């Protein structure tokens, strides 16, 4: 070692008589035999662990470090030194194993003992020096320098078998010192002398080895370096004679001329702990034997010193351990007290009731919450008396659990009901008090059952909620069953409704489709008897309302029989209802005079009323005059149809009465929807969504007005029961009505539908035997100034349509009449130009299985100047297409049809859907396939002409390949724009 420890070395001096020095300290304490054996086993186990190259545990490393005495060695080192567990043991946490006295003397140095390091480069870090020093201590040697300067010391590391790290520091030179406060100067203290008087220069009480001069100090320094005895003589001036004066010489009294300075260091250490100065016997040569004596003396001193140092170190360690144990006991006692206090507070504040009973069933302790929940008296300590807190229904369960706890020593828990009732704090309702009871057995160190710990948790609300949930689940299950039954019933009813609807649609489809034959036959009869030949040809395909008007006129003019009239009127009603169901019946506003429309309707029935002696009256209400109504925007054909239906009914139920027969019509106007009229008058309720029918641009911007029409008769009247069935589909007032008066029960239903389409309502007031009053109102707008562009455009459009029908369809003396009738509406400007598409160049293929309809439609088309080809079904239509110039495949010339020219033109195809051999949908799909294959080089316009006019039927037709659908019945003038639109589209 380079310097003595901070504790002063012991210096012993004696006279030059040559006697050996005496030791006043006792020998080292003998260790307990058991302790020694244990230490030996520990060292042996540690050696075996190292041989197996398995890392020892931290406890093994620390214990072995102490047994080997390394701590004692470090304690004697004057340098600040400490030891840590090495890399094999530390696992990232370097726990201190030993710290010597020099290290403990400075609080600054102790702050760096507990090291928690990671392998980083400390020299590129911005951390403080202490942190850098800690990193250096725990870093891999190859990653950091061998030394580190901190707090005035140069620190070095020594890694011992990768198990321990020993860090020691040497004083830094003054020029490089960062702090001198930590440096400690070595000091020697005089322990005893023989023959040397007190205060002699040769034996001062204390001396400082680094800065003291004179005396034996230079020799002490040399002995510390060489660690060997040094001989001083007067002859070579290594021994000053002044140091020998005044000494009481022993033996013969001869003064000594030589002296030996022996460094004293223990056998278990390298540090010099003291110095022994011995005067050499002047009467004996300092030969080899003398040197052997000195060596034996030095060995004896070293052994004694080692014993003393070990004993002192053991004492210090024991004292430190005792102090640490006392501190640990005090800390543990404090922690135990704190924990007990915390547990006590937790038990008192816990919402859980906690208690403890011994194995005999005596209640040992319980918290306040347990007493509060159970209502158990605090002064009761009888055996198993705490069981009375449970309800009688839960006692058997608790007894089974107690046997398991006592007999098997197993934990147990269950839901139990308490005797004490539970009250809802909000409502005050009394509920069953339910808890979860949990029990845990406690055992002694010898595994004997000591007591039972228990805890109860209130679950009353959750139990109540569970019961309520179960009840709700049962109710929900019942509701689900009922809902399922309701859904099944609804599905059944829906299925029946769908079946009824399908049956109704099928009935309407079949009726409207098959009506063409009897209608055609009846019209042919009319055609033969009438003089208006061309007019009837145009009317055969008119809409239902137009047919109705024409029928009434012809009935009056031609005197047709009742059977013919009834058949035609029933057909008209069914066609109209079919259009209503298919949403094909639209309201088309045109300028019109309501007064003239009423007069026109009355004119139709004048002859019939005269024949049946019925007086007809027409009355304008004062509201009409006050509002100044003249011309309004409305659909005159729909209004006329309603008036005709109501007049027909009025005449039907009045003409057979014996009393005076009267029918009167009154007309009034309002700016708001009119209220219900006469006494007991009620409008028929409707559930349809109301919409503003006059909101579109074609109605113009005139003032909205409501026109109310009232038809009053003196007929048989209706009872309250009869009025219930009015305005319903296929419904009459009573079963006798059809027998006595005839009819289909559709007239009033159609009137209601047409009225609601025009934004109005219809109703009735009737009394049996007195008569009936039917009234309805519609929504309209005042017609704008006839000179405005909007009005002119509407009139021009109407005139053009009328002119087209008159010129292209009828081509007879009726044309001037129609044009004149249109001209009387208002003065107008010249007609606007129309797109020039001449029907004379059209080549039309009519595919129709009904020969009557085929003949009538072909005659109407030929009147336009078109070339017409006929086919009876889809197969013949395909053959006709193969004979046109657009077909590019192989042709087969039909010998039976000489009129067909191979390579002929084809403009448009009018195709029925319901046909034998091949229906229209199949035919159009085959035509489109030919077009895709390139066998037909152009897209042929195909229009479906059918009575299947419901929405899904129209969509199915277009999806099959139809370009458009023309629902029957129709007018020729309605068909022409569809053909023109397709031709214009294809040309574009």
């Amino acid at each position: 070692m380079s310097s003595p420890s901070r504790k002063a070395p012991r210096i012993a001096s004696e006279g030059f008589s040559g006697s050996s020095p005496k030791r006043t300290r006792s020998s080292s304490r003998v260790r307990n035999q058991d302790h020694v054996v244990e230490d030996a086993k520990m060292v042996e186990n540690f050696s075996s662990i190292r041989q197996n190259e398995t890392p020892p545990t931290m406890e093994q490393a620390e214990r072995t470090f102490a047994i080997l005495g390394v701590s004692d060695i470090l304690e004697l080192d004057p340098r600040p030194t400490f030891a840590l567990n090495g890399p094999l043991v530390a696992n990232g946490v370097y726990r201190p194993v030993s710290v010597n006295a020099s290290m403990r003397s400075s609080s600054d140095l102790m702050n760096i003992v507990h090291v928690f390091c990671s392998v980083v480069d400390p020299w590129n870090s911005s951390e403080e020096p202490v942190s850098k020093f800690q990193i250096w201590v725990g870093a891999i040697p190859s990653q950091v320098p061998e030394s580190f300067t901190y707090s005035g010391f140069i620190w070095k590391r020594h890694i011992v078998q990768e198990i321990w790290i020993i860090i020691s520091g040497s004083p830094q030179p003054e020029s490089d010192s960062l702090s001198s406060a930590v440096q400690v100067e070595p000091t020697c203290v005089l322990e005893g002398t023989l023959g040397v008087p007190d205060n002699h220069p040769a034996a001062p009480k204390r001396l400082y080895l680094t800065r003291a001069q004179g005396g034996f100090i230079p020799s002490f320094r040399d002995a510390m370096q060489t660690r060997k005895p040094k001989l001083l003589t007067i002859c070579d001036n290594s021994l000053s004679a002044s140091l020998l004066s005044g000494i009481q010489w022993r033996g013969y009294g001869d003064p000594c001329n030589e002296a030996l300075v022996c460094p004293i260091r223990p056998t278990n250490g390298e540090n010099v702990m003291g110095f022994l100065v011995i005067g050499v016997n002047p009467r004996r040569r300092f030969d080899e034997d003398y040197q052997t004596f000195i060596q034996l003396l030095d060995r004896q001193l070293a052994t004694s010193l080692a014993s003393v140092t070990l004993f002192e170190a053991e004492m210090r360690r024991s004292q430190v351990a005792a102090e640490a144990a006392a501190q640990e006991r005090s800390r543990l006692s404090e922690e135990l007290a704190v924990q007990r206090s915390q547990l006590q507070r937790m038990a008192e504040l816990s919402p859980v009731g906690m208690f403890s009973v011994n194995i005999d069933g005596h209640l040992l302790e319980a918290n306040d919450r347990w007493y509060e929940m159970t209502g158990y008296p605090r002064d009761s300590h009888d055996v198993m008396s705490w069981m009375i807190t449970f309800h009688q229904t839960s006692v058997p369960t608790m007894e089974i659990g107690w046997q398991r706890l006592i007999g098997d020593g197993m934990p147990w828990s269950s839901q139990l009901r308490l005797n004490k009732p539970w009250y809802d704090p909000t409502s005050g309702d009394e509920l069953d008090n339910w808890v979860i009871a949990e029990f845990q057995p406690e055992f002694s160190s010898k595994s004997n059952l000591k007591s039972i710990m228990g805890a109860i948790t209130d679950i009353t609300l959750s139990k109540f909620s569970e019961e309520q949930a179960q009840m709700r689940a049962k109710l929900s299950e019942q509701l689900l069953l009922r809902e399922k039954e309701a859904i099944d019933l609804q599905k059944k009813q829906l299925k029946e409704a769908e079946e009824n609807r399908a049956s109704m649609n099928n009935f309407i489809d079949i009726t409207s489709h098959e009506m063409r034959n009897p209608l055609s036959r009846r019209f042919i009869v009319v055609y033969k008897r009438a003089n208006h030949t061309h007019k009837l040809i145009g009317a055969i395909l008119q809409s239902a309302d137009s047919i109705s008007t024409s029928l009434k006129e012809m009935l009056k003019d031609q005197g047709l029989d009742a059977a013919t009239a009834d058949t035609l009127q029933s057909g008209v009603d069914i066609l109209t209802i079919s259009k209503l169901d298919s949403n094909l019946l639209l309201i088309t506003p045109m300028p019109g005079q309501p007064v003239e429309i009423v007069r026109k309707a009355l004119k139709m029935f004048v002859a019939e009323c005269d024949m049946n002696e019925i007086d007809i009256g027409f009355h304008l209400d004062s509201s009409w005059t006050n509002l100044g109504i003249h011309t309004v925007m409305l659909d005159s054909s729909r209004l006329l149809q309603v008036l005709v239906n109501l007049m027909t009914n009025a005449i039907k139920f009045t003409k057979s009465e014996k009393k005076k027969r009267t029918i009167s019509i009154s007309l009034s106007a309002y700016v708001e929807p009119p209220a219900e009229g006469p006494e007991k008058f009620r409008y028929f309720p409707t559930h349809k969504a109301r919409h503003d029918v006059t909101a579109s641009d074609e109605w113009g911007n005139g003032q909205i007005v409501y026109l109310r029409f009232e038809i009053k008769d003196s007929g048989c009247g209706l009872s309250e029961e009869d009025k219930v069935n009015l305005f319903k589909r296929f419904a009459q007032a009573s079963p006798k009505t059809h027998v006595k008066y005839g009819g289909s029960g559709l007239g009033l239903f159609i009137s209601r539908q047409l009225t609601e389409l025009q934004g109005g309502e219809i109703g009735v007031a009737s009394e049996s035997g007195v008569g009936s009053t039917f009234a309805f109102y519609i929504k309209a707008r005042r017609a704008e100034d006839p000179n405005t562009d909007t009005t002119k455009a509407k009139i021009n459009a109407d005139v053009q349509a009328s002119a087209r029908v008159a010129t292209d369809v009828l081509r007879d003396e009726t044309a001037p009449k129609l044009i004149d009738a249109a001209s009387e509406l208002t003065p107008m400007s010249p007609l606007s130009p129309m797109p020039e598409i001449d029907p004379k160049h059209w080549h039309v293929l009519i595919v129709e299985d009904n020969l009557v309809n085929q003949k009538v439609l072909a005659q109407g088309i030929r009147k336009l100047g078109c070339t017409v080809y006929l086919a009876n079904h889809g197969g013949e239509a395909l053959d006709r297409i193969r004979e046109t110039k657009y077909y590019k495949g192989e042709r087969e010339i039909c010998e039976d049809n000489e009129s067909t020219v191979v390579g002929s033109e084809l403009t448009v195809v009018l195709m029925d859907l319901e046909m034998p051999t091949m229906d229209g949908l199949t035919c159009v799909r085959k035509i489109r396939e030919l077009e895709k294959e390139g066998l037909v080089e152009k897209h042929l316009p195909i229009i479906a002409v059918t009575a299947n006019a419901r929405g899904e039927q129209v969509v199915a037709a277009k999806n099959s390949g139809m370009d458009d659908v023309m629902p029957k019945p129709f007018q020729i003038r309605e068909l022409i724009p569809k053909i023109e639109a397709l031709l214009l589209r294809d040309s574009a």
Side-chain angles (χ1 to χ4, degrees):
M1 302 292 285
S2 60
S3 64
S5 65
R6 292 174 61 252
K7 185 174 181 180
R10 296 175 175 85
I11 303 177
S13 300
E14 63 177 7
F16 287 92
S17 61
S19 59
S20 299
K22 296 181 179 180
R23 299 297 301 171
T24 59
R25 298 290 180 93
S26 62
S27 62
S28 176
R29 176 174 60 89
V30 179
R31 302 183 65 184
N32 183 274
Q33 185 176 2
D34 295 337
H35 196 183
V36 173
V37 173
E38 184 180 352
D39 292 345
K41 289 181 179 179
M42 176 63 70
V43 175
E44 182 179 356
N45 293 335
F46 184 79
S47 300
S48 64
I49 290 174
R50 293 299 299 144
Q51 291 176 359
N52 295 332
E53 297 182 355
T54 57
T57 63
M58 190 172 292
E59 290 74 12
Q60 289 174 337
E62 292 178 356
R63 184 71 179 275
T64 305
F65 189 87
I67 294 172
L68 295 177
V70 182
S71 298
D72 298 332
I73 298 174
L74 298 182
E75 187 69 25
L76 298 175
D77 194 339
R79 298 174 301 174
T81 305
F82 61 97
L84 306 172
N85 286 326
L88 285 179
V89 183
N91 194 23
V93 180
Y94 294 88
R95 192 163 71 181
V97 178
S98 177
V99 180
N100 71 349
S102 296
M103 196 75 184
R104 294 193 302 270
S105 64
S106 173
S107 59
D108 293 336
L109 296 177
M110 286 299 296
N111 289 335
I112 63 174
V113 172
H114 300 285
V115 179
F116 299 87
C117 304
S118 60
V119 181
V120 296
D121 182 7
W123 312 110
N124 295 326
S125 175
S126 61
E127 297 177 326
E128 295 298 324
V130 173
S131 299
K132 290 183 177 180
F133 177 72
Q134 293 173 346
I135 295 173
W136 174 80
V137 169
I140 298 174
S142 61
Q143 294 183 345
V144 293
E146 294 181 356
S147 61
F148 187 86
T149 302
Y150 173 67
S151 192
F153 287 85
I154 299 176
W155 301 89
K156 290 188 177 182
R157 298 184 311 166
H158 303 279
I159 300 177
V160 182
Q161 297 184 353
E162 297 187 357
I163 299 177
W164 301 292
I165 302 177
I166 300 176
I167 302 98
S168 60
S170 300
Q172 185 181 9
E174 293 184 1
S175 59
D176 298 332
S177 177
L178 297 176
S179 174
S180 60
V182 184
Q183 300 181 9
V184 180
E185 185 177 7
T187 304
C188 292
V189 179
L190 182 64
E191 290 289 341
T193 60
L194 291 175
V196 180
D198 294 338
N199 297 323
H200 192 275
K205 298 293 184 181
R206 182 182 295 272
L207 57 85
Y208 299 94
L209 295 178
T210 57
R211 54 190 175 91
Q213 301 295 330
F216 293 103
I217 292 176
S219 301
F220 290 168
R221 293 173 180 164
D222 293 339
M224 288 180 63
Q225 296 293 330
T226 61
R227 290 184 174 82
K228 294 181 180 180
K230 183 177 183 180
L231 180 64
L232 304 177
T233 62
I234 296 178
C235 297
D236 59 3
N237 293 326
S238 59
L239 178 62
S240 176
S242 60
L243 294 176
L244 303 178
S245 61
I247 295 178
Q248 300 175 3
W249 303 106
R250 300 288 185 95
Y252 298 102
D254 297 336
C256 293
N257 296 320
E258 295 176 328
L260 278 173
V261 176
C262 300
I264 303 174
R265 56 189 180 90
T267 56
N268 59 351
E270 295 293 331
N271 293 333
V272 176
M273 304 298 296
F275 302 94
L276 174 64
V277 181
I278 303 175
V280 179
N281 191 345
R283 296 186 178 220
R284 184 172 180 177
R285 291 175 56 85
F286 188 69
D287 53 10
E288 185 176 350
D289 292 338
Y290 208 125
Q291 292 178 8
T292 301
F293 166 74
I294 294 300
Q295 290 177 358
L296 292 175
L297 179 61
D298 182 64
R299 177 68 59 84
Q300 183 66 31
L301 290 174
T303 302
S304 300
L305 183 59
S307 299
V308 172
T309 55
L310 287 175
F311 176 74
E312 291 178 350
E314 184 69 21
M315 290 297 293
R316 285 195 302 271
R317 186 164 57 188
S318 299
Q319 184 178 0
V320 170
E323 293 176 355
Q327 292 178 356
E328 185 69 13
R329 282 194 300 272
S330 176
R331 185 182 65 81
L332 292 176
S333 298
E334 292 177 357
E335 290 182 357
L336 183 61
V338 171
Q339 291 179 0
R340 185 175 180 82
S341 177
Q342 289 177 348
L343 291 175
Q344 187 70 23
R345 288 196 300 271
M346 289 174 60
E348 294 301 330
L349 297 176
S350 173
V352 177
M354 294 182 286
F355 64 101
S356 175
V357 295
N358 61 16
I359 59 177
D360 297 328
H362 285 94
L363 181 65
L364 300 177
E365 58 181 347
N367 65 349
D368 294 339
R369 177 60 177 161
W370 184 84
Y371 285 107
E372 178 185 348
M373 294 174 64
T374 61
Y376 185 76
R378 294 179 181 267
D379 56 351
S380 179
H381 301 288
D382 296 337
V383 176
M384 302 298 290
S385 59
W386 53 275
M387 289 278 283
I388 64 174
T389 59
F390 298 107
H391 193 267
Q392 58 181 3
T393 57
S394 297
V395 170
T397 305
M398 184 64 236
E399 290 177 348
I400 295 173
W402 180 258
Q403 293 300 325
R404 181 178 179 181
L405 289 166
I406 299 299
D408 301 337
M410 299 293 293
W412 179 80
S413 65
S414 179
Q415 294 185 8
L416 302 174
R417 180 182 171 186
L418 298 179
N419 277 323
K420 182 181 178 181
W422 188 90
Y423 296 96
D424 190 338
T426 304
S427 62
D429 296 338
E430 180 179 331
L431 301 175
D432 295 338
N433 195 351
W434 283 90
V435 296
I436 289 182
E438 297 177 303
F439 298 88
Q440 182 73 30
E442 291 186 335
F443 299 91
S444 64
S445 59
K446 296 181 180 181
S447 300
N448 294 326
L449 183 62
K450 293 196 310 180
S451 61
I452 304 295
M453 282 293 297
I456 56 174
T457 304
D458 188 2
I459 60 169
T460 301
L461 289 178
S462 60
K463 192 75 172 179
F464 178 73
S465 300
E466 181 181 351
E467 294 175 354
Q468 293 294 320
Q470 292 177 354
M471 186 181 300
R472 286 194 296 270
K474 292 181 180 179
L475 292 176
S476 299
E477 185 177 356
Q478 296 176 359
L479 289 175
L480 287 175
L481 291 176
R482 294 181 181 178
E483 184 179 358
K484 186 176 183 300
E485 294 175 356
I487 292 175
D488 293 341
L489 179 60
Q490 185 178 7
K491 288 182 179 178
K492 182 179 178 180
Q493 294 175 346
L494 180 61
K495 183 178 179 181
E496 293 176 353
E498 288 292 338
E499 292 175 353
N500 294 335
R501 179 177 176 273
S503 300
M504 179 66 72
N505 290 336
N506 188 42
F507 168 73
I508 293 176
D509 292 342
I510 294 174
T511 303
S512 62
H513 189 272
E514 296 302 327
M515 271 178 52
R516 294 174 297 176
N517 292 331
L519 277 178
S520 299
R521 288 195 295 270
R522 292 293 182 179
F523 272 115
I524 291 173
V525 172
V526 175
Y527 167 73
K528 291 179 179 179
R529 298 177 58 184
N531 294 324
H532 305 288
T533 303
H534 301 297
K535 182 176 181 180
L536 288 176
I537 292 173
I540 188 64
L541 298 175
Q542 289 178 358
S543 60
D545 50 324
S546 298
I547 293 176
S548 176
T549 304
S550 300
L551 284 173
K552 290 297 180 182
E553 293 175 354
M554 286 185 291
L555 284 171
K556 307 304 177 291
D557 296 342
Q558 303 300 328
L560 294 180
D561 58 280
T564 301
D566 289 343
T567 301
L568 294 176
Q569 185 61 47
S570 298
V572 169
D573 289 342
I574 293 176
L575 292 174
T576 303
I577 195 66
S578 178
K579 274 196 171 187
L580 285 171
D581 287 344
S582 303
N583 293 323
L584 296 176
L585 204 154
L586 304 177
I587 301 300
T588 305
M590 295 296 299
Q593 299 176 0
V595 174
E596 295 301 323
I597 295 173
V598 174
R599 288 175 178 171
K600 182 178 181 181
L602 292 176
K603 184 178 179 181
M604 294 170 58
F605 295 98
V606 169
E608 185 176 4
C609 290
D610 290 342
M611 183 175 59
N612 292 288
E613 298 180 355
I614 300 175
D615 295 336
I616 300 178
F618 178 35
H619 171 67
L620 281 178
D621 190 75
S622 59
S623 60
W624 186 270
T625 307
N626 294 337
L627 290 177
I629 303 298
H630 184 263
T631 304
V632 295
M633 299 297 293
L634 47 70
D635 190 332
S636 59
S637 62
R638 306 305 175 199
L639 174 59
L640 183 61
Q641 189 172 356
V642 177
L643 291 173
V644 167
N645 284 341
L646 295 180
M647 282 294 298
T648 300
N649 283 347
I651 294 173
K652 181 191 305 182
F653 293 102
T654 303
K655 65 183 180 180
S656 60
E657 292 297 313
K658 302 300 181 180
K659 57 186 177 181
K660 184 178 181 180
R661 305 165 190 151
T662 60
I663 297 176
S664 64
I665 298 179
S666 63
L667 178 59
S668 57
Y670 306 89
V671 294
E672 296 291 337
E676 297 178 347
E679 184 180 0
K680 297 183 180 180
F681 180 87
R682 294 291 183 272
Y683 285 118
F684 182 83
T686 179
H687 300 289
K688 290 185 177 181
R690 290 299 182 92
H691 64 281
D692 188 1
V693 68
T694 64
S696 60
D697 295 336
E698 58 185 348
W699 288 83
N701 299 318
Q703 180 189 13
I704 294 177
V705 292
Y706 295 88
L707 310 180
R708 189 174 189 271
F709 302 84
E710 184 177 304
I711 295 91
K712 184 176 181 180
D713 64 70
S714 61
C716 61
L718 300 170
S719 64
E720 293 297 328
E721 293 79 7
D722 295 338
K723 288 190 287 185
V724 174
N725 296 322
L726 295 180
F727 305 109
K728 295 181 180 178
R729 184 196 300 254
F730 293 110
Q732 293 181 312
S734 67
K736 298 178 181 180
T737 304
H738 174 71
V739 177
K740 184 175 181 180
Y741 300 101
S744 62
L746 287 177
L748 290 180
F749 174 76
I750 293 174
S751 299
R752 177 172 68 87
Q753 295 286 328
L754 294 176
T755 302
E756 292 175 354
L757 279 176
Q758 299 178 79
E761 293 178 285
I762 189 170
V764 62
S766 180
E767 185 177 353
S768 179
V770 177
S772 302
T773 301
F774 286 82
F776 68 94
Y777 71 88
I778 61 173
K779 192 175 183 179
R781 285 184 181 270
R782 288 183 183 269
E784 297 174 339
D785 186 355
N787 295 322
T788 61
D789 294 338
T790 302
T791 306
K792 288 179 181 179
K794 292 183 180 295
I795 295 175
N796 288 348
D798 182 54
V799 172
Q800 290 165 6
S802 301
R804 175 175 295 167
V805 174
T807 303
D808 298 338
V809 181
L810 302 180
R811 300 181 180 274
D812 63 357
E813 68 277 4
T814 60
K817 296 179 181 179
L818 290 173
I819 295 176
D820 292 342
S823 303
E824 291 176 0
L825 293 175
T826 180
M828 62 181 180
S829 59
L831 299 180
S832 301
M834 291 292 292
E836 289 295 338
I837 299 180
D838 191 355
K840 294 179 180 180
H841 300 100
W842 293 354
H843 294 257
V844 182
L845 173 60
I846 299 175
V847 187
E848 172 66 64
D849 64 310
N850 188 289
L851 297 180
V852 175
N853 289 343
Q854 184 186 98
K855 182 177 180 180
V856 173
L857 180 59
Q859 190 171 1
I861 297 296
R862 287 193 182 100
K863 288 295 182 180
L864 298 175
C866 304
T867 301
V868 178
Y869 306 103
L870 302 177
N872 295 319
H873 52 76
E876 291 185 2
L878 291 176
D879 294 339
R880 296 292 183 186
I881 291 173
R882 293 189 182 98
E883 295 167 358
T884 64
K885 66 179 181 180
Y886 301 109
Y887 183 72
K888 300 303 179 183
E890 296 181 0
R891 305 176 187 272
E892 295 181 1
I893 301 176
C894 299
E895 297 179 358
D896 58 343
N897 192 354
E898 298 177 355
S899 63
T900 303
V901 180
V902 176
S904 60
E905 180 67 50
L906 183 59
T907 306
V908 67
V909 179
L910 304 179
M911 185 176 297
D912 191 15
L913 297 185
E914 302 292 338
M915 296 181 295
T917 307
M918 181 183 293
D919 61 81
L921 297 180
T922 303
C923 181
V924 73
R925 282 194 289 265
K926 290 185 176 293
I927 294 173
R928 299 310 180 201
E929 290 177 359
L930 293 176
E931 293 175 356
K932 290 182 180 179
E933 295 172 359
L935 297 179
V936 177
E937 65 177 0
K938 72 169 282 189
H939 177 82
L940 294 178
I942 304 176
I943 299 176
V945 180
T946 178
N948 299 339
R950 288 187 289 109
E952 57 268 27
Q953 294 172 329
V954 173
V955 172
K958 291 186 176 181
N959 291 338
S960 298
M962 296 291 182
D963 293 291
D964 205 344
V965 177
M966 187 73 241
K968 297 177 182 179
F970 61 90
Q971 300 180 26
I972 293 296
R973 67 175 182 178
E974 294 176 347
L975 179 63
I976 294 174
K978 289 183 177 289
I979 298 176
E980 291 177 347
L982 292 180
L983 297 180
L984 289 174
R985 185 194 67 182
D986 291 346
S987 63

